[in-house]
Amino acid sequence: MKQELVDQVAKTARKATENMHTALPGEIVKFDAAKGLASVQPKAKFKKPNGETLDFPVITGVPVVFPQSANVSIAWPIKPGDGCLIVFCESALDFWMYGKETDTALSFDLSNAIAITGLSPKGRDAMQIACDEDAAVMKAGDTILKVKADGVYIIGNLTVSNGVVNLN
């Protein structure tokens, strides 16, 4: 009797959470830099009640996370195919995004997604350089900026024009 109760509680808990989304790996399909919103494709499958598996739909209007404060931002180009982590918020984003309350009770729903870019299924050479040299590394093409405890290093062609340093 006790085991049957435990099994039933476990089954009920599984059923209650199987349509709850928390986070999924994803891929940027489109990015509107002026609005800071992307269309993202979750890179996972979902199972229908009949057992059939399908791709998740593309999610549109997804805010993209960049490190920033009121006065300082760090940004980089977001392109189709870039990896991201899609996080599903526990409540609707409407008040946060538009200052409007809604009657939506869609906890952890696909419509409440936020994308954190930079997720990749494999390492990048900038990661290896950062770990090998104990440095913060920014790499764009063949140009590398390394910030280390003993200084700042720029690898690439350097030109100065009107007091502005340019890498060629």
Side-chain angles (χ1 to χ4, degrees):
M1 179 77 167
K2 186 176 178 183
Q3 186 58 43
E4 290 173 4
L5 177 62
V6 169
D7 290 345
Q8 187 58 44
V9 169
K11 183 179 176 182
T12 302
R14 226 179 353 270
K15 184 74 173 158
T17 60
E18 67 187 17
N19 289 318
M20 180 189 306
H21 306 290
T22 55
L24 290 169
E27 186 174 282
I28 301 293
V29 174
K30 186 169 77 171
F31 180 62
D32 183 337
K35 293 180 180 176
L37 301 175
S39 294
V40 296
Q41 174 67 63
K43 300 304 282 184
K45 304 275 188 183
F46 72 92
K47 190 178 284 192
K48 292 174 50 174
N50 67 2
E52 179 184 4
T53 58
L54 297 172
D55 291 330
F56 279 91
V58 170
I59 306 166
T60 60
V62 178
V64 175
V65 175
F66 285 96
Q68 58 186 321
S69 67
N71 297 319
V72 178
S73 296
I74 299 172
W76 49 86
I78 303 294
K79 304 290 184 191
D82 285 352
C84 64
L85 177 65
I86 309 167
V87 178
F88 303 99
C89 297
E90 67 180 78
S91 62
L93 299 175
D94 298 344
F95 184 75
W96 173 72
M97 290 181 70
Y98 310 112
K100 297 177 183 175
E101 291 285 349
T102 64
D103 293 335
T104 306
L106 299 174
S107 295
F108 303 105
D109 188 72
L110 298 180
S111 64
N112 300 320
I114 294 175
I116 302 171
T117 59
L119 184 64
S120 175
K122 58 186 174 201
R124 305 272 187 219
D125 55 347
M127 294 175 191
Q128 189 66 54
I129 295 166
C131 291
D132 290 348
E133 300 185 28
D134 199 22
V137 175
M138 180 184 292
K139 185 171 187 296
D142 293 330
T143 302
I144 302 172
L145 172 70
K146 295 189 279 186
V147 179
K148 301 172 70 171
D150 65 347
V152 176
Y153 301 82
I154 299 173
I155 301 164
N157 295 323
L158 188 66
T159 61
V160 178
S161 174
N162 297 327
V164 176
V165 178
N166 293 302
L167 295 174
N168 297 334

PDB file of all heavy atoms in Angstrom, residues 71-90:
ATOM      1  N   ASN A  71      24.418  52.805 -17.667  1.00  0.00           N
ATOM      2  CA  ASN A  71      25.381  53.634 -18.393  1.00  0.00           C
ATOM      3  C   ASN A  71      26.414  52.869 -19.210  1.00  0.00           C
ATOM      4  O   ASN A  71      27.154  53.477 -19.971  1.00  0.00           O
ATOM      5  CB  ASN A  71      26.127  54.542 -17.410  1.00  0.00           C
ATOM      6  CG  ASN A  71      25.194  55.500 -16.715  1.00  0.00           C
ATOM      7  OD1 ASN A  71      24.295  56.061 -17.335  1.00  0.00           O
ATOM      8  ND2 ASN A  71      25.370  55.660 -15.419  1.00  0.00           N
ATOM      9  N   VAL A  72      26.521  51.580 -19.047  1.00  0.00           N
ATOM     10  CA  VAL A  72      27.565  50.805 -19.719  1.00  0.00           C
ATOM     11  C   VAL A  72      26.956  49.550 -20.322  1.00  0.00           C
ATOM     12  O   VAL A  72      26.161  48.867 -19.675  1.00  0.00           O
ATOM     13  CB  VAL A  72      28.680  50.401 -18.721  1.00  0.00           C
ATOM     14  CG1 VAL A  72      29.739  49.552 -19.411  1.00  0.00           C
ATOM     15  CG2 VAL A  72      29.308  51.628 -18.087  1.00  0.00           C
ATOM     16  N   SER A  73      27.333  49.256 -21.548  1.00  0.00           N
ATOM     17  CA  SER A  73      26.878  48.029 -22.206  1.00  0.00           C
ATOM     18  C   SER A  73      28.043  47.363 -22.907  1.00  0.00           C
ATOM     19  O   SER A  73      28.966  48.031 -23.378  1.00  0.00           O
ATOM     20  CB  SER A  73      25.813  48.334 -23.266  1.00  0.00           C
ATOM     21  OG  SER A  73      24.664  48.857 -22.674  1.00  0.00           O
ATOM     22  N   ILE A  74      28.000  46.062 -22.968  1.00  0.00           N
ATOM     23  CA  ILE A  74      28.915  45.285 -23.789  1.00  0.00           C
ATOM     24  C   ILE A  74      28.031  44.571 -24.805  1.00  0.00           C
ATOM     25  O   ILE A  74      27.063  43.908 -24.430  1.00  0.00           O
ATOM     26  CB  ILE A  74      29.709  44.270 -22.954  1.00  0.00           C
ATOM     27  CG1 ILE A  74      30.551  44.981 -21.895  1.00  0.00           C
ATOM     28  CG2 ILE A  74      30.593  43.407 -23.859  1.00  0.00           C
ATOM     29  CD1 ILE A  74      31.220  44.053 -20.907  1.00  0.00           C
ATOM     30  N   ALA A  75      28.350  44.723 -26.061  1.00  0.00           N
ATOM     31  CA  ALA A  75      27.514  44.108 -27.103  1.00  0.00           C
ATOM     32  C   ALA A  75      28.395  43.483 -28.175  1.00  0.00           C
ATOM     33  O   ALA A  75      29.561  43.862 -28.341  1.00  0.00           O
ATOM     34  CB  ALA A  75      26.591  45.155 -27.722  1.00  0.00           C
ATOM     35  N   TRP A  76      27.837  42.544 -28.871  1.00  0.00           N
ATOM     36  CA  TRP A  76      28.519  41.875 -29.968  1.00  0.00           C
ATOM     37  C   TRP A  76      27.466  41.523 -31.001  1.00  0.00           C
ATOM     38  O   TRP A  76      26.275  41.511 -30.708  1.00  0.00           O
ATOM     39  CB  TRP A  76      29.249  40.612 -29.464  1.00  0.00           C
ATOM     40  CG  TRP A  76      28.396  39.732 -28.622  1.00  0.00           C
ATOM     41  CD1 TRP A  76      27.541  38.756 -29.043  1.00  0.00           C
ATOM     42  CD2 TRP A  76      28.271  39.774 -27.196  1.00  0.00           C
ATOM     43  NE1 TRP A  76      26.898  38.184 -27.967  1.00  0.00           N
ATOM     44  CE2 TRP A  76      27.339  38.791 -26.820  1.00  0.00           C
ATOM     45  CE3 TRP A  76      28.868  40.545 -26.200  1.00  0.00           C
ATOM     46  CZ2 TRP A  76      26.983  38.558 -25.507  1.00  0.00           C
ATOM     47  CZ3 TRP A  76      28.509  40.302 -24.894  1.00  0.00           C
ATOM     48  CH2 TRP A  76      27.586  39.324 -24.548  1.00  0.00           C
ATOM     49  N   PRO A  77      27.906  41.235 -32.227  1.00  0.00           N
ATOM     50  CA  PRO A  77      26.915  40.909 -33.255  1.00  0.00           C
ATOM     51  C   PRO A  77      26.240  39.568 -32.970  1.00  0.00           C
ATOM     52  O   PRO A  77      26.892  38.614 -32.565  1.00  0.00           O
ATOM     53  CB  PRO A  77      27.738  40.845 -34.547  1.00  0.00           C
ATOM     54  CG  PRO A  77      29.155  40.751 -34.131  1.00  0.00           C
ATOM     55  CD  PRO A  77      29.271  41.239 -32.727  1.00  0.00           C
ATOM     56  N   ILE A  78      24.947  39.536 -33.149  1.00  0.00           N
ATOM     57  CA  ILE A  78      24.163  38.311 -33.020  1.00  0.00           C
ATOM     58  C   ILE A  78      23.725  37.930 -34.430  1.00  0.00           C
ATOM     59  O   ILE A  78      23.108  38.740 -35.131  1.00  0.00           O
ATOM     60  CB  ILE A  78      22.922  38.527 -32.121  1.00  0.00           C
ATOM     61  CG1 ILE A  78      23.321  39.026 -30.742  1.00  0.00           C
ATOM     62  CG2 ILE A  78      22.078  37.261 -32.053  1.00  0.00           C
ATOM     63  CD1 ILE A  78      24.109  38.052 -29.922  1.00  0.00           C
ATOM     64  N   LYS A  79      24.062  36.739 -34.832  1.00  0.00           N
ATOM     65  CA  LYS A  79      23.786  36.282 -36.191  1.00  0.00           C
ATOM     66  C   LYS A  79      22.964  34.997 -36.172  1.00  0.00           C
ATOM     67  O   LYS A  79      23.052  34.211 -35.221  1.00  0.00           O
ATOM     68  CB  LYS A  79      25.103  36.004 -36.937  1.00  0.00           C
ATOM     69  CG  LYS A  79      26.063  37.182 -36.993  1.00  0.00           C
ATOM     70  CD  LYS A  79      25.543  38.264 -37.891  1.00  0.00           C
ATOM     71  CE  LYS A  79      26.578  39.386 -38.007  1.00  0.00           C
ATOM     72  NZ  LYS A  79      26.068  40.542 -38.642  1.00  0.00           N
ATOM     73  N   PRO A  80      22.200  34.749 -37.244  1.00  0.00           N
ATOM     74  CA  PRO A  80      21.508  33.466 -37.346  1.00  0.00           C
ATOM     75  C   PRO A  80      22.502  32.313 -37.207  1.00  0.00           C
ATOM     76  O   PRO A  80      23.613  32.373 -37.747  1.00  0.00           O
ATOM     77  CB  PRO A  80      20.893  33.497 -38.744  1.00  0.00           C
ATOM     78  CG  PRO A  80      20.696  34.962 -39.017  1.00  0.00           C
ATOM     79  CD  PRO A  80      21.903  35.625 -38.381  1.00  0.00           C
ATOM     80  N   GLY A  81      22.116  31.321 -36.439  1.00  0.00           N
ATOM     81  CA  GLY A  81      22.989  30.174 -36.205  1.00  0.00           C
ATOM     82  C   GLY A  81      23.750  30.253 -34.890  1.00  0.00           C
ATOM     83  O   GLY A  81      24.301  29.255 -34.432  1.00  0.00           O
ATOM     84  N   ASP A  82      23.802  31.436 -34.269  1.00  0.00           N
ATOM     85  CA  ASP A  82      24.478  31.566 -32.980  1.00  0.00           C
ATOM     86  C   ASP A  82      23.722  30.770 -31.927  1.00  0.00           C
ATOM     87  O   ASP A  82      22.489  30.741 -31.906  1.00  0.00           O
ATOM     88  CB  ASP A  82      24.549  33.030 -32.524  1.00  0.00           C
ATOM     89  CG  ASP A  82      25.586  33.844 -33.277  1.00  0.00           C
ATOM     90  OD1 ASP A  82      26.368  33.257 -34.052  1.00  0.00           O
ATOM     91  OD2 ASP A  82      25.613  35.073 -33.088  1.00  0.00           O
ATOM     92  N   GLY A  83      24.459  30.159 -31.032  1.00  0.00           N
ATOM     93  CA  GLY A  83      23.852  29.385 -29.964  1.00  0.00           C
ATOM     94  C   GLY A  83      23.370  30.267 -28.826  1.00  0.00           C
ATOM     95  O   GLY A  83      23.870  31.381 -28.624  1.00  0.00           O
ATOM     96  N   CYS A  84      22.399  29.776 -28.087  1.00  0.00           N
ATOM     97  CA  CYS A  84      21.895  30.502 -26.919  1.00  0.00           C
ATOM     98  C   CYS A  84      21.263  29.526 -25.940  1.00  0.00           C
ATOM     99  O   CYS A  84      20.970  28.385 -26.289  1.00  0.00           O
ATOM    100  CB  CYS A  84      20.886  31.574 -27.327  1.00  0.00           C
ATOM    101  SG  CYS A  84      19.363  30.965 -28.086  1.00  0.00           S
ATOM    102  N   LEU A  85      21.103  29.991 -24.722  1.00  0.00           N
ATOM    103  CA  LEU A  85      20.339  29.261 -23.723  1.00  0.00           C
ATOM    104  C   LEU A  85      19.011  29.982 -23.599  1.00  0.00           C
ATOM    105  O   LEU A  85      18.983  31.187 -23.327  1.00  0.00           O
ATOM    106  CB  LEU A  85      21.058  29.245 -22.371  1.00  0.00           C
ATOM    107  CG  LEU A  85      20.308  28.554 -21.240  1.00  0.00           C
ATOM    108  CD1 LEU A  85      20.145  27.060 -21.537  1.00  0.00           C
ATOM    109  CD2 LEU A  85      21.023  28.759 -19.914  1.00  0.00           C
ATOM    110  N   ILE A  86      17.929  29.269 -23.825  1.00  0.00           N
ATOM    111  CA  ILE A  86      16.595  29.856 -23.714  1.00  0.00           C
ATOM    112  C   ILE A  86      16.076  29.546 -22.315  1.00  0.00           C
ATOM    113  O   ILE A  86      15.940  28.381 -21.939  1.00  0.00           O
ATOM    114  CB  ILE A  86      15.630  29.283 -24.773  1.00  0.00           C
ATOM    115  CG1 ILE A  86      16.238  29.365 -26.182  1.00  0.00           C
ATOM    116  CG2 ILE A  86      14.297  30.020 -24.726  1.00  0.00           C
ATOM    117  CD1 ILE A  86      15.491  28.549 -27.213  1.00  0.00           C
ATOM    118  N   VAL A  87      15.812  30.604 -21.549  1.00  0.00           N
ATOM    119  CA  VAL A  87      15.308  30.462 -20.187  1.00  0.00           C
ATOM    120  C   VAL A  87      13.840  30.856 -20.189  1.00  0.00           C
ATOM    121  O   VAL A  87      13.473  31.888 -20.754  1.00  0.00           O
ATOM    122  CB  VAL A  87      16.098  31.374 -19.215  1.00  0.00           C
ATOM    123  CG1 VAL A  87      15.558  31.263 -17.810  1.00  0.00           C
ATOM    124  CG2 VAL A  87      17.584  31.040 -19.263  1.00  0.00           C
ATOM    125  N   PHE A  88      12.999  30.041 -19.560  1.00  0.00           N
ATOM    126  CA  PHE A  88      11.564  30.300 -19.527  1.00  0.00           C
ATOM    127  C   PHE A  88      11.195  30.827 -18.144  1.00  0.00           C
ATOM    128  O   PHE A  88      11.338  30.129 -17.143  1.00  0.00           O
ATOM    129  CB  PHE A  88      10.783  29.035 -19.882  1.00  0.00           C
ATOM    130  CG  PHE A  88      11.180  28.508 -21.237  1.00  0.00           C
ATOM    131  CD1 PHE A  88      12.078  27.464 -21.344  1.00  0.00           C
ATOM    132  CD2 PHE A  88      10.700  29.104 -22.383  1.00  0.00           C
ATOM    133  CE1 PHE A  88      12.472  26.996 -22.594  1.00  0.00           C
ATOM    134  CE2 PHE A  88      11.089  28.648 -23.640  1.00  0.00           C
ATOM    135  CZ  PHE A  88      11.977  27.594 -23.743  1.00  0.00           C
ATOM    136  N   CYS A  89      10.712  32.062 -18.102  1.00  0.00           N
ATOM    137  CA  CYS A  89      10.403  32.730 -16.834  1.00  0.00           C
ATOM    138  C   CYS A  89       9.148  32.160 -16.192  1.00  0.00           C
ATOM    139  O   CYS A  89       8.273  31.646 -16.873  1.00  0.00           O
ATOM    140  CB  CYS A  89      10.227  34.228 -17.076  1.00  0.00           C
ATOM    141  SG  CYS A  89      11.754  34.980 -17.676  1.00  0.00           S
ATOM    142  N   GLU A  90       9.067  32.310 -14.886  1.00  0.00           N
ATOM    143  CA  GLU A  90       7.943  31.736 -14.156  1.00  0.00           C
ATOM    144  C   GLU A  90       6.658  32.530 -14.299  1.00  0.00           C
ATOM    145  O   GLU A  90       5.593  32.068 -13.884  1.00  0.00           O
ATOM    146  CB  GLU A  90       8.286  31.554 -12.682  1.00  0.00           C
ATOM    147  CG  GLU A  90       8.490  32.848 -11.933  1.00  0.00           C
ATOM    148  CD  GLU A  90       8.821  32.586 -10.471  1.00  0.00           C
ATOM    149  OE1 GLU A  90       9.965  32.249 -10.184  1.00  0.00           O
ATOM    150  OE2 GLU A  90       7.911  32.736  -9.638  1.00  0.00           O
TER     151      GLU A  90
END
